[in-house]
Amino acid sequence: MWKGNLTCKHSSFIIIFFLILCSANSIVKAFFEEEEEDKVDIKRSDFPDGFLFGAATSSYQIEGAYLEDGKGLSNWDFFCRTKGSIANGDSGDIAEDHYHRYMEDIEILHSLGVNAYRFSISWSRVLPRGKFGGVNQAGILFYNKIIDNLLVRGIEPFVTIHHFDYPQELEDRYGGWLSPRMQEDYVHFAKICFQSYGDRVRYWCSINEPNLFAEFAYERGTHPPSHCSPPFGNCSAGNSDIEPLIVVHNMLLAHAKAVKLYRDRFKSEQSGVVGIVVHSFMYKPLTDDKWDMEAADRALAFNTAWILDPLVFGDYPPEMRRYHGSELPKFASEERMLLRDSIDFIGINHYGTLYAKDCIYSCCICNDSSCNKGSDRAIRGFVYTTAERDGVPIGEPTGLPRFFIVPRGMEEIVEYAKKRYLNKPIFVTENGYSSPQNQVDDYHHDVKRIYYLDSYLAFLARAMRNGADVRGYFIWTLMDDFEWTNGYSVRFGIYHVDPHTLNRTPKLSATWFRNFLSNCSINHVESCNAISLMNKDVPRPQSE
């Protein structure tokens, strides 16, 4: 309700502001009207009560304060100091300064109307030296404050224990995830998290994207510790055909051991659930040839099923066993029992769809920016993946070379997980749009991000109508952040962060998301904005 008298000056401001909103809404509507696909009027009410809607972040990408209050040096702190490793010489030393601005960011989440927030815990902030040192109480306190303030506002903490960053000392002492010793260090870290936060955290993600971590860090060598070998790259150390398999093997066993610990010692009192997060492209055959159709299935097995099959069925996918042979590590019988059914839910990070071409019966040459080298190797499943067919992209490009807009892929990857894993509960733990680096209007009118989110949600809703047990969806990401080797040049956020002042400013997509969570659709955005202007407190869905 408006309070006080309106002056002419105030009236003029309101009129101008409404005109700006109408202009922005017209742009959004015009963009949608031009799209031939997916004209679906998606609303919050299309999803069930208790469904979690949130935004996602990770510790290294937003926190900053890289050596403050007892935090130790992480692998990413170390890597960012290697010349040429990060675009523009960027680092996460300050990032978005979330360490000092967390209350502001929690208020932003509250204003959006989300009922969940996915974030990660910095291993090196809580255990600066891993098992080789003590617990950093300042680090424990930091995440306690985040969790408590989320809960006060009715926002469910959805916590990732390990999201790429870990104490550099573990790398220096025994080689990090290449060593089985990392399993016990991880379990020790997970135990500290369960003990410290489990009385208030119901949703745990053990490890974020083991498949992508192994690919970037030990196959391509673009992430720390930068291991690779030809043809994937020319690193000073590494074996791209073998090391990714060893790293994932250790990560899977670490996950399973941590889950056993949780179920044995904490679950009866805390009543939480533990899942894992896998990076999941959808793959479509490049041609109608039967070999390409098999290649698309194989690509899914060598990426998504590589992580999930052992945690549901107790062993690696048969497709991998067939083509890797002795190179693929074996699980002992007791390890298979430990692994089997060791996830309560599947976390899917989905950003796009790629074409797949068989490299067993045909020659594969990487000749476009969206393909990866080494497609004719077992580690890639003898599959060439690309976003182009006859020079035509599979969808509209985004700010990253392999992320193209193919909304139907959301339904298809969820359907794949539903069928292969007996409809185990799913959370879409990341889905988002990165603006092309030359898209100067992103800050004010990120209408393509709105289209992306709206259309992907429409296909997610359709997968659920077809029986998929999906229980939550998280936008990547809350605010523009440190996007790993791309630094700050790639922007996924629904909030703009000024690089000089670090002030947060909502983009049009933030308004869209708030309206969506208020059960306003894209086709009713004008009336929703009018309601939002007239009421400071936007109606929010109830916490689960």
Side-chain angles (χ1 to χ4, degrees), residues 268-283:
S268 61
E269 291 186 6
Q270 298 178 0
S271 303
V273 290
V274 186
I276 200 166
V277 174
V278 61
H279 187 275
S280 300
F281 280 113
M282 187 59 203
Y283 297 94

Side-chain angles (χ1 to χ4, degrees), residues 286 354-355 367-370 384 386-394 404:
L286 184 65
L354 295 170
Y355 291 120
N367 55 11
D368 69 75
S369 62
S370 66
Y384 167 94
T386 177
E388 295 183 7
R389 180 166 61 190
D390 300 325
V392 179
I394 194 170
F404 288 72

Side-chain angles (χ1 to χ4, degrees), residues 232 241 302 320 323-324 327 374-382:
F232 300 95
D241 294 304
F302 273 68
M320 294 188 74
Y323 290 104
H324 270 301
E327 293 175 351
S375 298
D376 57 349
R377 313 284 280 233
I379 194 67
R380 289 285 90 208
F382 301 106

Side-chain angles (χ1 to χ4, degrees), residues 34-147:
E34 290 174 1
E35 294 299 321
E36 295 181 357
E37 186 185 23
D38 321 331
K39 293 180 182 176
V40 179
D41 188 17
I42 190 72
K43 301 182 296 298
R44 169 65 181 85
S45 57
D46 293 322
F47 296 84
D49 292 340
F51 191 88
L52 296 185
F53 273 108
T57 64
S58 87
S59 56
Y60 189 78
Q61 293 179 269
I62 64 168
E63 284 182 6
Y66 82 109
L67 285 181
E68 197 166 328
D69 292 341
K71 180 184 172 296
L73 197 70
S74 77
N75 59 326
W76 274 92
D77 294 322
F78 182 82
F79 183 66
C80 287
R81 280 152 178 76
T82 304
K83 187 177 180 180
S85 61
I86 311 295
N88 305 313
D90 293 335
S91 76
D93 289 2
I94 299 173
E96 277 53 58
D97 198 29
H98 176 72
Y99 187 76
H100 299 108
R101 298 172 180 242
Y102 68 93
M103 283 300 296
E104 177 185 355
D105 296 333
I106 290 172
E107 288 300 336
I108 286 173
L109 287 162
H110 180 59
S111 72
L112 288 170
V114 301
N115 60 357
Y117 173 48
R118 180 181 174 228
F119 63 97
S120 74
I121 296 175
S122 168
W123 194 335
S124 55
R125 195 177 297 283
V126 170
L127 293 170
R129 303 182 60 208
K131 290 181 70 175
F132 301 102
V135 177
N136 178 27
Q137 291 302 322
I140 295 289
L141 177 62
F142 172 64
Y143 296 107
N144 267 325
K145 290 187 291 188
I146 288 177
I147 291 166

